Short mmCIF file of all heavy atoms in Angstrom, two decimals:
data_model
loop_
_atom_site.label_atom_id
_atom_site.label_comp_id
_atom_site.label_asym_id
_atom_site.label_seq_id
_atom_site.Cartn_x
_atom_site.Cartn_y
_atom_site.Cartn_z
N LEU A 10 109.74 80.92 18.49
CA LEU A 10 108.72 81.86 18.01
C LEU A 10 109.28 82.67 16.86
O LEU A 10 108.61 82.86 15.85
CB LEU A 10 108.25 82.78 19.15
CG LEU A 10 107.18 83.82 18.78
CD1 LEU A 10 105.90 83.14 18.35
CD2 LEU A 10 106.95 84.74 19.95
N LEU A 14 107.84 82.69 12.90
CA LEU A 14 107.29 83.88 12.32
C LEU A 14 108.22 84.59 11.31
O LEU A 14 107.98 85.72 10.88
CB LEU A 14 106.83 84.87 13.37
CG LEU A 14 105.75 84.30 14.30
CD1 LEU A 14 105.40 85.34 15.35
CD2 LEU A 14 104.51 83.88 13.52
N ALA A 17 107.22 87.17 8.38
CA ALA A 17 105.84 87.65 8.56
C ALA A 17 105.78 89.14 8.27
O ALA A 17 106.68 89.89 8.70
CB ALA A 17 105.38 87.35 10.01
N PRO A 18 104.78 89.57 7.55
CA PRO A 18 104.62 91.01 7.29
C PRO A 18 103.90 91.68 8.46
O PRO A 18 102.96 91.14 8.99
CB PRO A 18 103.70 91.02 6.03
CG PRO A 18 102.89 89.81 6.18
CD PRO A 18 103.74 88.80 6.87
N TYR A 19 104.40 92.80 8.85
CA TYR A 19 103.76 93.57 9.98
C TYR A 19 103.31 94.91 9.47
O TYR A 19 103.97 95.49 8.63
CB TYR A 19 104.73 93.73 11.15
CG TYR A 19 105.04 92.40 11.82
CD1 TYR A 19 106.15 91.64 11.47
CD2 TYR A 19 104.17 91.91 12.79
CE1 TYR A 19 106.41 90.42 12.09
CE2 TYR A 19 104.44 90.72 13.42
CZ TYR A 19 105.54 89.97 13.06
OH TYR A 19 105.81 88.80 13.69
N PRO A 20 102.18 95.42 9.96
CA PRO A 20 101.30 94.77 10.94
C PRO A 20 100.63 93.54 10.34
O PRO A 20 100.46 93.41 9.14
CB PRO A 20 100.27 95.82 11.28
CG PRO A 20 100.28 96.75 10.08
CD PRO A 20 101.65 96.71 9.51
N ALA A 21 100.32 92.60 11.22
CA ALA A 21 99.71 91.35 10.81
C ALA A 21 98.62 90.95 11.78
O ALA A 21 98.66 91.23 12.97
CB ALA A 21 100.73 90.24 10.74
N ASP A 22 97.59 90.27 11.26
CA ASP A 22 96.55 89.78 12.14
C ASP A 22 96.92 88.33 12.58
O ASP A 22 97.87 87.75 12.04
CB ASP A 22 95.19 89.83 11.51
CG ASP A 22 95.03 89.01 10.27
OD1 ASP A 22 95.80 88.05 10.07
OD2 ASP A 22 94.12 89.27 9.48
N ARG A 23 96.25 87.85 13.56
CA ARG A 23 96.53 86.53 14.15
C ARG A 23 96.48 85.44 13.05
O ARG A 23 97.34 84.55 13.03
CB ARG A 23 95.55 86.25 15.27
CG ARG A 23 95.77 85.00 15.99
CD ARG A 23 94.83 84.82 17.17
NE ARG A 23 93.47 85.06 16.77
CZ ARG A 23 92.49 85.57 17.54
NH1 ARG A 23 92.78 85.92 18.80
NH2 ARG A 23 91.27 85.74 17.12
N GLU A 24 95.50 85.51 12.18
CA GLU A 24 95.34 84.48 11.15
C GLU A 24 96.52 84.45 10.20
O GLU A 24 96.98 83.38 9.76
CB GLU A 24 94.04 84.68 10.38
CG GLU A 24 92.78 84.35 11.19
CD GLU A 24 92.43 85.47 12.21
OE1 GLU A 24 92.82 86.61 12.06
OE2 GLU A 24 91.76 85.12 13.20
N LYS A 25 97.04 85.62 9.87
CA LYS A 25 98.21 85.72 8.99
C LYS A 25 99.43 85.10 9.65
O LYS A 25 100.22 84.38 9.07
CB LYS A 25 98.47 87.16 8.57
CG LYS A 25 99.68 87.35 7.69
CD LYS A 25 99.48 86.66 6.32
CE LYS A 25 100.65 86.86 5.42
NZ LYS A 25 100.56 86.11 4.19
N LEU A 26 99.60 85.39 10.96
CA LEU A 26 100.73 84.83 11.71
C LEU A 26 100.63 83.31 11.79
O LEU A 26 101.64 82.59 11.70
CB LEU A 26 100.77 85.46 13.10
CG LEU A 26 101.09 86.96 13.13
CD1 LEU A 26 101.10 87.44 14.55
CD2 LEU A 26 102.41 87.28 12.43
N VAL A 27 99.44 82.78 11.95
CA VAL A 27 99.25 81.32 11.95
C VAL A 27 99.65 80.74 10.63
O VAL A 27 100.37 79.73 10.55
CB VAL A 27 97.79 80.96 12.32
CG1 VAL A 27 97.50 79.47 12.04
CG2 VAL A 27 97.47 81.27 13.77
N GLU A 41 99.34 76.39 17.73
CA GLU A 41 98.23 76.49 18.67
C GLU A 41 98.36 77.75 19.53
O GLU A 41 97.40 78.48 19.75
CB GLU A 41 98.13 75.25 19.57
CG GLU A 41 97.45 74.10 18.93
CD GLU A 41 95.96 74.35 18.71
OE1 GLU A 41 95.24 74.70 19.69
OE2 GLU A 41 95.50 74.21 17.57
N LYS A 42 99.56 77.95 20.06
CA LYS A 42 99.83 79.11 20.94
C LYS A 42 99.49 80.42 20.20
O LYS A 42 98.82 81.28 20.76
CB LYS A 42 101.29 79.09 21.34
CG LYS A 42 101.70 80.06 22.37
CD LYS A 42 101.55 79.45 23.70
CE LYS A 42 102.38 80.14 24.72
NZ LYS A 42 102.04 79.73 26.05
N ILE A 43 99.94 80.52 18.94
CA ILE A 43 99.71 81.76 18.16
C ILE A 43 98.21 81.88 17.86
O ILE A 43 97.62 82.95 17.95
CB ILE A 43 100.53 81.73 16.87
CG1 ILE A 43 102.03 81.79 17.20
CG2 ILE A 43 100.13 82.92 15.96
CD1 ILE A 43 102.94 81.49 16.03
N SER A 44 97.59 80.78 17.50
CA SER A 44 96.14 80.85 17.11
C SER A 44 95.24 81.21 18.27
O SER A 44 94.12 81.64 18.04
CB SER A 44 95.72 79.54 16.44
OG SER A 44 95.67 78.50 17.38
N HIS A 45 95.68 81.03 19.47
CA HIS A 45 94.85 81.33 20.64
C HIS A 45 95.24 82.60 21.40
O HIS A 45 94.77 82.84 22.50
CB HIS A 45 94.86 80.13 21.61
CG HIS A 45 94.09 78.95 21.10
ND1 HIS A 45 94.71 77.91 20.41
CD2 HIS A 45 92.78 78.71 21.09
CE1 HIS A 45 93.78 77.05 20.06
NE2 HIS A 45 92.59 77.49 20.42
N LEU A 46 96.04 83.41 20.75
CA LEU A 46 96.37 84.70 21.36
C LEU A 46 95.14 85.57 21.49
O LEU A 46 94.30 85.60 20.55
CB LEU A 46 97.47 85.44 20.58
CG LEU A 46 98.83 84.77 20.57
CD1 LEU A 46 99.79 85.50 19.61
CD2 LEU A 46 99.42 84.74 21.98
N ASP A 47 95.01 86.33 22.56
CA ASP A 47 93.85 87.17 22.77
C ASP A 47 93.83 88.37 21.81
O ASP A 47 92.76 88.78 21.35
CB ASP A 47 93.81 87.71 24.19
CG ASP A 47 93.46 86.61 25.21
OD1 ASP A 47 92.81 85.64 24.82
OD2 ASP A 47 93.86 86.76 26.38
N LYS A 48 94.99 88.91 21.54
CA LYS A 48 95.11 90.06 20.67
C LYS A 48 94.93 89.65 19.21
O LYS A 48 95.34 88.56 18.81
CB LYS A 48 96.50 90.68 20.89
CG LYS A 48 96.65 92.03 20.37
CD LYS A 48 97.98 92.65 20.84
CE LYS A 48 98.20 93.98 20.26
NZ LYS A 48 99.47 94.57 20.64
N LYS A 49 94.30 90.46 18.41
CA LYS A 49 93.99 90.09 17.00
C LYS A 49 94.97 90.73 16.01
O LYS A 49 95.14 90.23 14.91
CB LYS A 49 92.59 90.43 16.65
CG LYS A 49 91.57 89.62 17.41
CD LYS A 49 90.18 89.91 16.94
CE LYS A 49 89.19 89.30 17.89
NZ LYS A 49 88.60 88.08 17.57
N ARG A 50 95.63 91.82 16.37
CA ARG A 50 96.50 92.53 15.46
C ARG A 50 97.87 92.80 16.16
O ARG A 50 97.88 93.22 17.33
CB ARG A 50 95.90 93.87 15.08
CG ARG A 50 96.73 94.62 14.06
CD ARG A 50 95.99 95.92 13.60
NE ARG A 50 96.71 96.63 12.61
CZ ARG A 50 97.60 97.59 12.87
NH1 ARG A 50 97.85 97.94 14.10
NH2 ARG A 50 98.21 98.20 11.89
N PHE A 51 98.92 92.56 15.41
CA PHE A 51 100.26 92.71 15.94
C PHE A 51 101.09 93.64 15.03
O PHE A 51 101.08 93.48 13.81
CB PHE A 51 100.95 91.36 16.06
CG PHE A 51 100.18 90.42 16.95
CD1 PHE A 51 99.21 89.60 16.43
CD2 PHE A 51 100.44 90.39 18.29
CE1 PHE A 51 98.48 88.77 17.23
CE2 PHE A 51 99.68 89.56 19.15
CZ PHE A 51 98.72 88.74 18.62
N ASP A 52 101.78 94.65 15.66
CA ASP A 52 102.50 95.61 14.90
C ASP A 52 103.97 95.23 14.66
O ASP A 52 104.62 95.85 13.79
CB ASP A 52 102.46 96.98 15.62
CG ASP A 52 101.05 97.51 15.62
OD1 ASP A 52 100.32 97.36 14.62
OD2 ASP A 52 100.62 98.10 16.65
N SER A 53 104.50 94.30 15.39
CA SER A 53 105.93 93.93 15.27
C SER A 53 106.16 92.57 15.89
O SER A 53 105.32 92.05 16.64
CB SER A 53 106.79 94.95 16.00
OG SER A 53 106.54 94.86 17.41
N PRO A 54 107.34 91.94 15.60
CA PRO A 54 107.67 90.68 16.26
C PRO A 54 107.69 90.83 17.82
O PRO A 54 107.27 89.92 18.51
CB PRO A 54 109.04 90.37 15.73
CG PRO A 54 109.12 91.06 14.42
CD PRO A 54 108.30 92.35 14.62
N ALA A 55 108.15 91.98 18.28
CA ALA A 55 108.17 92.20 19.71
C ALA A 55 106.75 92.20 20.28
O ALA A 55 106.54 91.72 21.43
CB ALA A 55 108.86 93.51 20.05
N ASP A 56 105.80 92.70 19.57
CA ASP A 56 104.42 92.73 19.98
C ASP A 56 103.87 91.30 20.12
O ASP A 56 103.19 90.98 21.13
CB ASP A 56 103.62 93.51 18.90
CG ASP A 56 102.31 94.02 19.41
OD1 ASP A 56 102.07 94.10 20.61
OD2 ASP A 56 101.47 94.42 18.55
N VAL A 57 104.26 90.44 19.20
CA VAL A 57 103.81 89.02 19.29
C VAL A 57 104.48 88.35 20.48
O VAL A 57 103.85 87.61 21.27
CB VAL A 57 104.17 88.21 17.99
CG1 VAL A 57 103.74 86.77 18.13
CG2 VAL A 57 103.55 88.86 16.80
N GLN A 58 105.79 88.58 20.65
CA GLN A 58 106.53 87.97 21.76
C GLN A 58 105.92 88.38 23.09
O GLN A 58 105.78 87.55 23.98
CB GLN A 58 107.97 88.35 21.67
CG GLN A 58 108.86 87.57 22.66
CD GLN A 58 110.29 87.60 22.30
OE1 GLN A 58 110.70 87.68 21.15
NE2 GLN A 58 111.13 87.52 23.29
N LYS A 59 105.59 89.65 23.22
CA LYS A 59 104.96 90.12 24.45
C LYS A 59 103.62 89.44 24.71
O LYS A 59 103.32 89.04 25.83
CB LYS A 59 104.75 91.64 24.36
CG LYS A 59 104.31 92.30 25.63
CD LYS A 59 104.23 93.80 25.44
CE LYS A 59 103.83 94.47 26.70
NZ LYS A 59 103.71 95.95 26.55
N ALA A 60 102.84 89.22 23.66
CA ALA A 60 101.56 88.52 23.82
C ALA A 60 101.72 87.09 24.16
O ALA A 60 100.94 86.50 24.96
CB ALA A 60 100.73 88.65 22.49
N VAL A 61 102.78 86.42 23.63
CA VAL A 61 102.97 85.01 23.92
C VAL A 61 103.58 84.79 25.28
O VAL A 61 103.10 83.92 26.05
CB VAL A 61 103.87 84.35 22.82
CG1 VAL A 61 104.27 82.93 23.21
CG2 VAL A 61 103.15 84.36 21.48
N PHE A 62 104.59 85.53 25.63
CA PHE A 62 105.34 85.33 26.84
C PHE A 62 105.08 86.28 27.98
O PHE A 62 105.43 86.03 29.13
CB PHE A 62 106.84 85.30 26.56
CG PHE A 62 107.23 84.24 25.58
CD1 PHE A 62 107.59 84.59 24.30
CD2 PHE A 62 107.21 82.89 25.93
CE1 PHE A 62 107.95 83.60 23.33
CE2 PHE A 62 107.58 81.94 25.03
CZ PHE A 62 107.92 82.29 23.74
N GLY A 63 104.42 87.43 27.64
CA GLY A 63 104.15 88.43 28.67
C GLY A 63 102.91 88.09 29.48
O GLY A 63 102.31 87.02 29.34
N GLU A 65 100.14 89.97 29.46
CA GLU A 65 98.96 90.64 28.95
C GLU A 65 97.84 89.65 28.65
O GLU A 65 98.03 88.62 28.10
CB GLU A 65 99.30 91.38 27.67
CG GLU A 65 100.07 92.62 27.96
CD GLU A 65 100.19 93.50 26.74
OE1 GLU A 65 99.79 93.12 25.63
OE2 GLU A 65 100.67 94.65 26.88
#
Side-chain angles (χ1 to χ4, degrees):
L10 180 63
L14 298 179
Y19 291 95
D22 62 23
R23 184 175 50 211
E24 290 74 23
K25 180 64 178 173
L26 295 178
V27 168
E41 278 293 306
K42 188 92 157 166
I43 295 167
S44 70
H45 287 96
L46 292 174
D47 289 335
K48 196 171 177 181
K49 293 186 193 261
R50 182 176 183 269
F51 301 89
D52 294 320
S53 67
D56 202 14
V57 179
Q58 189 162 330
K59 188 175 181 182
V61 171
F62 299 107
E65 285 190 353

